Amino acid sequence: MNTNKNSEQLSAPDTQSGNVAPRRGFLKSFALAAAFCGVAIAGAGQAQAATTWKIQSVWDAGTVGYDLFEEWANSMEEKSGGELIIKPYPAKSVAADNNALFEAVRNGVLQGMNPFTLYWSGKIPASVFLSSYPAGPDQPHQWDIMFYSMGMLEKTREIYKKFGLFYVGPIQHDANIIHSKKPVNSLADMEGMKMRVPGGMVAEVFQQFGVSTVSLPGSDIFPALEKGTIDAADYVGPAVNYELGFSQVTDYIMFGPPGVMSIYQPVDLMDLTVNLRAWNALDPELQQLVEDEVRIYSQKHYLTIQKRNIEAMEKFKEDGSKVTRLSQEDLEKFRKAAIPIWFNWAGKNEDARAILDIQLEYMMNETVGYLNEEDIKGM
C-alpha cells in the first residue's frame, strides 16, 4: 500500500551520502505523536472517571421511604451514563444523629443528605417556612409553585450557601396527622387535652386553644398513648402510623376539612441537600440532571406514600378507628391564631422573613385567597 511505501522511504536514511536528517525528523515526529496520544488517552480516562457521592437519608432501613430513596440513588449511575454514582445510607449509619448529619455534609464526610427540612430550624431559622406550618399553604402543588415559580428555590439556595450547602430541591412526602382517644369535632374539643405535637410554632398555636403540649420522640408515642399519659398524638401519615400500631391505642383520627388531612403540618417536606464544594465540582449538565431527577423522585416518593395511605385508612377502619373532621370555620380560627406566631418566627431572622414574604404574596393572591390585607394588618 502507498502508506507502507511512504513509511519505508521515511525510515530508510541515505547512509551513503551521510544524510540522516530524515530519520531524526521521523523519530522526533513519532515521539511528539506518542506524547499527544498519551495525553489524549489520559484525558479520555479522566472524562470518564465517575464522581461518587455518599448520601445519608433520615429514613430508617426497611421503611418504604428508605426503599424509595435507595432505588432512586442506585438509578443515578445509569441515568448519568456512569458519571455519577450515589451510594445511599439509611438513618444513623454514618452520622449518628441529625446534628452530626448536618455537620458531616458541611465538612464533606458525606456529600449529601435527605432530611426533613424542618430539622434545621435551630441552625437555619428560615427552614421553619421551608415546609408547611400551622394554617399556611396546605396543598403539595402550592409548595411546588412557590419553589419553582416564585423564586423561593433561588432564595433557599442563597440561604443554604452561607452554610457551605447547596439545596437541590424539595421532596414531597406526606401530611402529619393526629390520633386521639376521644373525638375531636371542633377546636373547642381540644381544650384541656394533653397532646404530643412537634415543638416550636406548632406547639405555640395549639396552646392558644388550651392544649397542653408534650414533646416526645416517635418511639415513645405508642407507650404514652397505651398508658394514657397523653390523650392524643401527632405523628406522620396513616401508612406509617398504622404500622406503628396506633389503631391499637386510639379510637379516632383527626383531619381538617375535606381535602385537608392536617391543619397544622399538611405538607411535611423533605429535600436533597449536598455539600457546596461537591456540587460545584459537577459539570453543569450533570447538575441539571440531578435537579431534574430530584423533581421526578419527589413525585414518585409522594405518590407511593399516598397509595399506602389509602390502603392504611381501610385498615384503620377495619380496626374500628373513626375519622373526625374540623370545619372550615375551625381552620379559619386556627389561621387567625397562627398569623401572629408566623410573624414572631419570621422576625427572628431576615432570611426567614424573606421566605415568609414570598408565601404571603402567594396566599394573598386571588388564585389562593387564604389571606387579605386585614388579616395581616399591623403585623
Side-chain angles (χ1 to χ4, degrees):
M1 295 175 63
N2 290 338
T3 304
N4 291 338
K5 289 179 181 178
N6 290 339
S7 297
E8 289 171 2
Q9 291 171 359
L10 286 171
S11 61
D14 184 359
T15 52
Q16 291 180 349
S17 64
N19 183 7
V20 295
R23 179 177 179 84
R24 289 175 180 168
F26 165 74
L27 291 173
K28 183 176 180 182
S29 299
F30 181 81
L32 287 171
F36 175 79
C37 289
V39 170
I41 292 169
Q46 290 169 359
Q48 294 172 359
T51 297
T52 300
W53 280 359
K54 295 181 291 184
I55 301 180
Q56 182 172 312
S57 177
V58 296
W59 285 119
D60 290 322
T63 61
V64 61
Y66 184 71
D67 289 346
L68 289 167
F69 175 73
E70 185 177 44
E71 179 185 338
W72 174 79
N74 290 336
S75 75
M76 287 302 295
E77 182 175 4
E78 181 179 351
K79 290 174 180 176
S80 67
E83 292 187 46
L84 179 63
I85 298 171
I86 296 180
K87 292 186 175 181
Y89 294 87
K92 302 179 183 179
S93 56
V94 178
D97 55 38
N98 292 336
N99 184 64
L101 177 60
F102 188 87
E103 295 304 324
V105 178
R106 287 189 69 190
N107 298 331
V109 175
L110 291 164
Q111 284 68 52
M113 58 184 170
N114 169 225
F116 287 96
T117 310
L118 278 175
Y119 283 176
W120 316 132
S121 59
K123 299 175 180 294
I124 306 176
S127 67
V128 298
F129 296 108
L130 295 176
S131 183
S132 65
Y133 48 91
D138 53 21
Q139 302 296 323
H141 74 273
Q142 294 173 340
W143 288 86
D144 283 346
I145 289 169
M146 292 186 295
F147 270 109
Y148 292 110
S149 299
M150 296 186 66
M152 200 162 82
L153 180 63
E154 291 75 13
K155 183 60 183 178
T156 302
R157 288 174 175 173
E158 179 185 318
I159 294 166
Y160 272 57
K161 186 176 180 180
K162 300 174 185 179
F163 297 86
L165 300 169
F166 185 83
Y167 180 95
V168 180
I171 295 171
Q172 295 283 358
H173 161 236
D174 203 0
N176 289 357
I177 61 174
I178 290 172
H179 297 260
S180 174
K181 288 180 169 293
K182 68 176 189 177
V184 178
N185 294 299
S186 69
L187 291 174
D189 290 341
M190 294 192 297
E191 186 172 359
M193 290 181 66
K194 192 171 185 180
M195 187 183 299
R196 183 272 183 195
V197 296
M201 197 187 306
V202 174
E204 289 179 22
V205 179
F206 273 104
Q207 288 163 10
Q208 301 296 307
F209 297 93
V211 177
S212 176
T213 61
V214 178
S215 179
L216 291 174
S219 58
D220 290 347
I221 295 174
F222 183 95
L225 286 167
E226 186 177 36
K227 294 173 184 176
T229 54
I230 56 175
D231 303 307
D234 131 276
Y235 204 47
V236 289
V240 173
N241 294 354
Y242 186 81
E243 294 299 324
L244 291 174
F246 284 10
S247 67
Q248 302 169 32
V249 290
T250 61
D251 297 316
Y252 300 94
I253 301 172
M254 187 188 86
F255 285 167
V260 180
M261 285 175 65
S262 170
I263 65 170
Y264 66 97
Q265 209 166 3
V267 187
D268 190 18
L269 291 176
M270 302 182 77
D271 66 67
L272 184 73
T273 295
V274 300
N275 176 281
L276 184 59
R277 294 185 302 276
W279 179 260
N280 288 338
L282 285 188
D283 179 271
E285 290 185 2
L286 203 51
Q287 290 177 342
Q288 188 62 56
L289 175 68
V290 174
E291 290 188 49
D292 292 343
E293 286 299 321
V294 164
R295 294 183 71 170
I296 294 169
Y297 170 59
S298 174
Q299 183 183 48
K300 183 175 182 179
H301 186 259
Y302 176 74
L303 294 178
T304 301
I305 290 174
Q306 298 315 303
K307 181 177 183 293
R308 299 286 183 91
N309 282 347
I310 292 169
E311 296 165 353
M313 287 306 300
E314 291 300 314
K315 295 176 182 177
F316 273 114
K317 186 177 179 179
E318 290 170 5
D319 289 355
S321 297
K322 297 177 181 178
V323 170
T324 62
R325 289 191 179 275
L326 298 176
S327 66
Q328 186 64 36
E329 183 182 357
D330 286 320
L331 175 54
E332 295 301 328
K333 289 179 182 176
F334 199 75
R335 180 171 290 129
K336 190 165 290 188
I339 290 172
I341 296 172
W342 298 350
F343 280 86
N344 287 343
W345 279 80
K348 296 179 181 182
N349 178 269
E350 289 183 6
D351 290 332
R353 180 55 196 263
I355 296 294
L356 178 60
D357 282 345
I358 294 171
Q359 296 169 358
L360 291 174
E361 177 187 351
Y362 182 54
M363 287 189 282
M364 294 176 70
N365 188 277
E366 292 296 339
T367 61
V368 181
Y370 285 178
L371 299 174
N372 56 45
E373 292 287 348
E374 191 64 29
D375 292 325
I376 61 172
K377 186 177 180 180
M379 296 295 171

